[in-house]
Amino acid sequence: MKKGFLKAITENNSVLLVSKAGSLQHAFHEVLKEVAKKPVIQILLTRPYNVILKELKIENIHKNNIFFVDCCTIFAGEPTVNNDNVFFVKEPDDLTGISIIIEQFLSSIDGEKYLVIDALRLFSIFNDEEILMRFVSSLLKIAAENNTKTIVLTTKEKHRDLINKISPFFESVVESETSANS
Amino acid sequence: MPKPLFPPNKSVESAFIIMHNESVIRLMKRPAPRKKRAKRTLPKKTVLPLKAAQNRAVRLVYVNPGDYSKTVAGLLKKLLKQKKNVIYISLTRPYASLASTLQKEKIDVKKLFVIECVSGPNCGAERGVCLESVQNLTSLSMAVAEAVKSSKSQNNFLVLDAVTSLSVYHDSETVSKFLYHLVNKIRILDIEGFLLSYGNDLDPLVEEFLNAYLESALDLRN
């Protein structure tokens, strides 16, 4: 039987997946395993592209269907290797650039697709919450227009301010039961 | 009008050109199994997380301020026994004080590459660099990159002592952004790391951000 959040992904067009700190990486792998059979655009905030490639290989997840938007590598001051599977964003505050690349990707491919954001919480270090909310709302609109399911991962917060503000945008909000050791 | 990055209405196969870059797709190197079990010098609580940290993780480590020096020395001893090339960023204590503490614990300070940011350009580090102050985060970032790139070891391990000290000199947003930059750099350079924090006074915003970003934290407080 599918875990709760994987069932939610199957049944809903937009899912906010709230994971425990330390379990986010595991939840992220589980999500990718589920969705990578179809075209996926993956926004990377927690790990740079070259690190993700290694993880996917270890987790036996095929990367062929995944297009990555890497928000980490240039910000870390490291050189980027251009590749048709990845787009390097200068900084995570370039929400306009990220939106444009997502829209271009989604409109260029027919059929059902997925948009996955690995850690929404990290966007809030670089952007005001109001701007971030508008960004999420805009992404969900673009996704809906392009036959795309959206999965946004975030970590549990002490005060849940951001989660409470963005939850109404999603069809389903799931608290992941995944633990780091499972 | 700019040319679209993706050809319109094409199948997935034609939209992607998959390139194999051998230099970036390397399997994680696992350390060889130890022939002889090392004598346990630290409490069990400290030893276990170090074993768990063998998968190139970057972790936040909470340390009790009461026995901070001793616990940090214990961590360093363990890492050196594991043949790690330890790059130690000292934002808390001057090199002389650090060397003295480590000497008491029978640790050869010359085995560490020390980036000292407390006592200015003449800090006396025999193996390492002396930075002007904690305030210049760009220099610190460059020093870390240089230290890793000039190292011949494949077993580099970065210890940041301590996140709490960064918050004394910078606001929480700057600290969060710097740590985001540093941790990404650590991951790209394929090294492990401990970000130390003492006491219970870590800035809540920084703590929440690190919890969202890093592998599980290790709590060595009593």
Side-chain angles (χ1 to χ4, degrees):
Chain A
M1 202 176 120
K2 280 187 177 179
K3 287 176 185 169
F5 69 91
L6 295 178
K7 194 164 173 262
I9 290 168
T10 317
E11 293 174 355
N12 297 282
N13 288 319
S14 57
V15 178
L16 176 65
L17 175 56
V18 184
S19 168
K20 280 192 279 188
S23 299
L24 190 74
Q25 188 187 358
H26 184 75
F28 168 64
H29 291 152
E30 292 283 305
V31 168
L32 276 192
K33 273 180 197 166
E34 181 69 17
V35 303
K37 292 155 206 153
K38 294 196 171 160
V40 180
I41 182 161
Q42 167 69 57
I43 315 299
L44 292 175
L45 286 153
T46 59
R47 278 163 175 71
Y49 174 64
N50 67 344
V51 176
I52 283 290
L53 285 187
K54 289 175 199 166
E55 287 184 8
L56 295 188
K57 201 163 183 177
I58 289 163
E59 295 289 327
N60 208 14
I61 301 169
H62 294 292
K63 67 180 194 314
N64 301 18
N65 281 347
I66 309 172
F67 180 80
F68 297 95
V69 179
D70 178 329
C71 303
C72 309
T73 306
I74 295 180
F75 191 73
E78 291 298 314
T80 55
V81 181
N82 285 326
N83 181 327
D84 283 1
N85 258 41
V86 61
F87 181 84
F88 293 97
V89 176
K90 206 172 172 186
E91 279 193 36
D93 67 354
D94 184 13
L95 299 182
T96 310
I98 295 169
S99 296
I100 291 169
I101 196 81
I102 289 172
E103 191 162 14
Q104 284 188 335
F105 176 86
L106 297 181
S107 61
S108 68
I109 292 171
D110 295 329
E112 193 179 65
K113 303 163 282 281
Y114 287 95
L115 164 64
V116 182
I117 299 178
D118 67 351
L120 187 75
R121 186 72 185 86
L122 294 181
F123 268 128
S124 66
I125 297 162
F126 299 88
N127 303 281
D128 291 339
E129 280 194 356
E130 285 72 25
I131 293 171
L132 192 52
M133 284 166 67
R134 270 184 256 158
F135 171 69
V136 171
S137 166
S138 149
L139 287 190
L140 290 169
K141 182 173 164 275
I142 294 168
E145 287 167 356
N146 289 284
N147 191 17
T148 304
K149 289 187 173 188
T150 308
I151 303 147
V152 175
L153 290 92
T154 192
T155 43
K156 283 182 184 172
E157 304 161 23
K158 273 183 191 160
H159 306 295
R160 296 181 65 92
D161 287 350
L162 181 65
I163 294 172
N164 287 342
K165 281 177 185 168
I166 63 160
S167 290
F169 294 133
F170 292 84
E171 285 181 21
S172 173
V173 179
V174 187
E175 301 250 344
S176 168
E177 69 276 28
T178 310
S179 78
N181 300 321
S182 64
Chain B
M1 195 177 155
K3 196 183 164 189
L5 282 165
F6 307 100
N9 301 322
K10 288 282 172 69
S11 65
V12 184
E13 286 78 16
S14 60
F16 292 143
I17 300 168
I18 304 128
M19 288 179 68
H20 258 307
N21 188 336
E22 289 299 332
S23 66
V24 292
I25 307 169
R26 280 183 288 129
L27 279 171
M28 286 186 181
K29 287 185 180 170
R30 293 185 189 281
R34 286 173 17 197
K35 286 177 186 168
K36 198 177 170 184
R37 195 182 173 86
K39 194 179 168 186
R40 181 169 281 172
T41 53
L42 290 169
K44 194 179 172 188
K45 202 175 166 189
T46 313
V47 174
L48 285 175
L50 281 170
K51 277 190 175 178
Q54 283 181 350
N55 56 348
R56 304 272 187 210
V58 185
R59 288 164 200 270
L60 179 63
V61 182
Y62 295 98
V63 183
N64 194 4
D67 47 30
Y68 187 73
S69 300
K70 211 169 179 182
T71 311
V72 174
L75 285 171
L76 293 175
K77 204 175 210 174
K78 190 76 194 166
L79 292 171
L80 291 172
K81 269 190 179 174
Q82 291 178 352
K83 307 281 181 204
K84 306 277 187 200
N85 178 44
V86 179
I87 298 163
Y88 185 86
I89 304 175
S90 180
L91 306 177
T92 314
R93 283 180 297 164
Y95 182 80
S97 163
L98 175 73
S100 156
T101 310
L102 295 184
Q103 213 164 23
K104 281 179 202 160
E105 299 292 325
K106 293 178 181 164
I107 300 170
D108 185 1
V109 73
K110 286 177 207 161
K111 286 185 179 170
L112 307 176
F113 186 93
V114 181
I115 300 173
E116 206 259 51
C117 310
V118 184
S119 46
N122 300 315
C123 71
E126 289 172 69
R127 187 170 169 251
V129 288
C130 308
L131 299 182
E132 199 72 50
S133 77
V134 187
Q135 281 166 313
N136 194 342
L137 297 177
T138 310
S139 299
L140 178 54
S141 165
M142 286 165 72
V144 170
E146 281 301 312
V148 176
K149 284 170 185 170
S150 63
S151 159
K152 288 170 187 165
S153 171
Q154 295 293 311
N155 240 347
N156 291 309
F157 200 109
L158 187 124
V159 178
L160 175 68
D161 174 11
V163 176
T164 328
S165 303
L166 273 177
S167 297
V168 175
Y169 296 91
H170 303 279
D171 60 56
S172 52
E173 194 186 323
T174 307
V175 173
S176 300
K177 284 184 180 176
F178 173 70
L179 291 174
Y180 184 70
H181 162 86
L182 184 71
V183 174
N184 275 320
K185 196 177 261 302
I186 292 173
R187 286 181 171 150
I188 292 168
L189 297 171
D190 197 21
I191 61 177
E192 298 168 73
F194 281 164
L195 310 183
L196 306 180
S197 165
Y198 49 83
N200 302 309
D201 302 325
L202 186 58
D203 185 298
L205 184 79
V206 176
E207 188 174 22
E208 197 169 302
F209 152 70
L210 287 172
N211 280 330
Y213 186 48
L214 300 180
E215 288 80 10
S216 53
L218 312 175
D219 196 345
L220 304 181
R221 293 172 293 194
N222 294 325

